[in-house]
C-alpha cells in the first residue's frame, strides 16, 4: 500500500513538473530544412508575442518561402484556438503560402492564467485586434494583399474585417460560416 501511494505521488509530481515546464518553457516551432538538413533560405518559422490593443497575443508565422502568398487564419471559438490542429492538418499549405496563425485574446498561446476578460469585450474588440494583426502582417511582408481564412466564430470577424478593408485582401475563404 505504501509503495502504491509513493508511486502515485511520484507520478503526480512528475506530471506537475511537466506542466510547469510547459507553462514556462519558450514556445518554438521547427524551421524549414532542405535535404541536407540546413535551414531553407527565405523560409520563416517564428512564434512571436504582439501587444495588440492592450493584450499580449501569440502569432505563429510559417512558410517555406516568404515570397509565397500570405494566408492569415482566424480560428473559431471564442476562447479555443485550433492552431496545433491546423498546423498538423494544413502543414502542406506552408509550402505554398506564408501562413499566419493568430491565437486571439484569451485563446491558445494568447491565454494567460492571470488574464481576465476586459469589461465590454465584444465582437468589435476582436475585429480591432484582427485589424491590428492584418496591419502588422501586411507591413512585415511589404504591404502585400492577404488571403484571409476564417473558421466558425472567426468567420464573423473576417466578414467584418473584409467589409471595412477590402483593399487589403486577395481573397476571403470562410469555413463553417456563422450566420
Amino acid at each position: 500500500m505504501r509503495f502504491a501511494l509513493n508511486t502515485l505521488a511520484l507520478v503526480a509530481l512528475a506530471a506537475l513538473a511537466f506542466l510547469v515546464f510547459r507553462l514556462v518553457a519558450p514556445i518554438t516551432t521547427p524551421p524549414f530544412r532542405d535535404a541536407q538538413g540546413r535551414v531553407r533560405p527565405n523560409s520563416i518559422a517564428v512564434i512571436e508575442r504582439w501587444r495588440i490593443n492592450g493584450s499580449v497575443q501569440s502569432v505563429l508565422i510559417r512558410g517555406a518561402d516568404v515570397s509565397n502568398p500570405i494566408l492569415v487564419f482566424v480560428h473559431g471559438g471564442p476562447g479555443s484556438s485550433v492552431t496545433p490542429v491546423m498546423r498538423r492538418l494544413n502543414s502542406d499549405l506552408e509550402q505554398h503560402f506564408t501562413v499566419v496563425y493568430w491565437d486571439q485574446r484569451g485563446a491558445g498561446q494568447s491565454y494567460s492564467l492571470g488574464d481576465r476578460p476586459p469589461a465590454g469585450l465584444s465582437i468589435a474588440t476582436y475585429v480591432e485586434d484582427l485589424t491590428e494583426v492584418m496591419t502588422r502582417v501586411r507591413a512585415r511582408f511589404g504591404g502585400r494583399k492577404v488571403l484571409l481564412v476564417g473558421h466558425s466564430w472567426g468567420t464573423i470577424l473576417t466578414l467584418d474585417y473584409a467589409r471595412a478593408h477590402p483593399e487589403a485582401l486577395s481573397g476571403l475563404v470562410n469555413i463553417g460560416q456563422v450566420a
Side-chain angles (χ1 to χ4, degrees):
M1 177 73 159
R2 184 175 186 118
F3 176 76
L5 288 175
N6 285 340
T7 302
L8 183 59
L10 186 60
V11 168
L13 185 60
L16 180 61
F18 177 76
L19 179 61
V20 168
F21 172 76
R22 292 294 295 158
L23 289 174
V24 299
I27 304 163
T28 62
T29 187
F32 290 86
R33 297 193 180 276
D34 63 19
Q36 290 74 37
R38 295 182 302 250
V39 174
R40 288 175 59 177
N42 216 33
S43 66
I44 186 168
V46 298
I47 299 176
E48 299 175 348
R49 302 272 193 196
W50 296 352
R51 180 162 291 283
I52 300 171
N53 299 323
S55 171
V56 176
Q57 299 179 30
S58 180
V59 178
L60 168 64
I61 305 172
R62 290 188 52 82
D65 186 338
V66 293
S67 65
N68 284 339
I70 304 161
L71 184 156
V72 172
F73 183 79
V74 182
H75 65 75
S80 61
S81 169
V82 293
T83 297
V85 173
M86 296 313 293
R87 278 274 304 110
R88 175 85 50 207
L89 297 177
N90 292 337
S91 61
D92 286 347
L93 286 176
E94 297 169 4
Q95 299 299 320
H96 307 284
F97 292 90
T98 297
V99 183
V100 178
Y101 303 92
W102 164 50
D103 279 353
Q104 301 163 28
R105 63 173 66 227
Q109 295 298 327
S110 295
Y111 176 76
S112 174
L113 292 174
D115 283 352
R116 292 187 191 173
L121 186 60
S122 66
I123 291 172
T125 305
Y126 286 94
V127 174
E128 289 170 11
D129 290 355
L130 174 58
T131 300
E132 179 66 20
V133 168
M134 293 290 287
T135 298
R136 289 186 188 192
V137 166
R138 293 190 69 219
R140 182 177 198 150
F141 295 104
R144 292 186 289 156
K145 293 184 176 193
V146 172
L147 174 60
L148 188 58
V149 178
H151 176 253
S152 189
W153 149 262
T155 65
I156 297 169
L157 311 181
T158 58
L159 279 180
D160 280 359
Y161 179 85
R163 200 174 4 253
H165 304 281
E167 74 288 348
L169 302 179
S170 60
L172 174 64
V173 176
N174 279 341
I175 307 157
Q177 178 66 57
V178 174

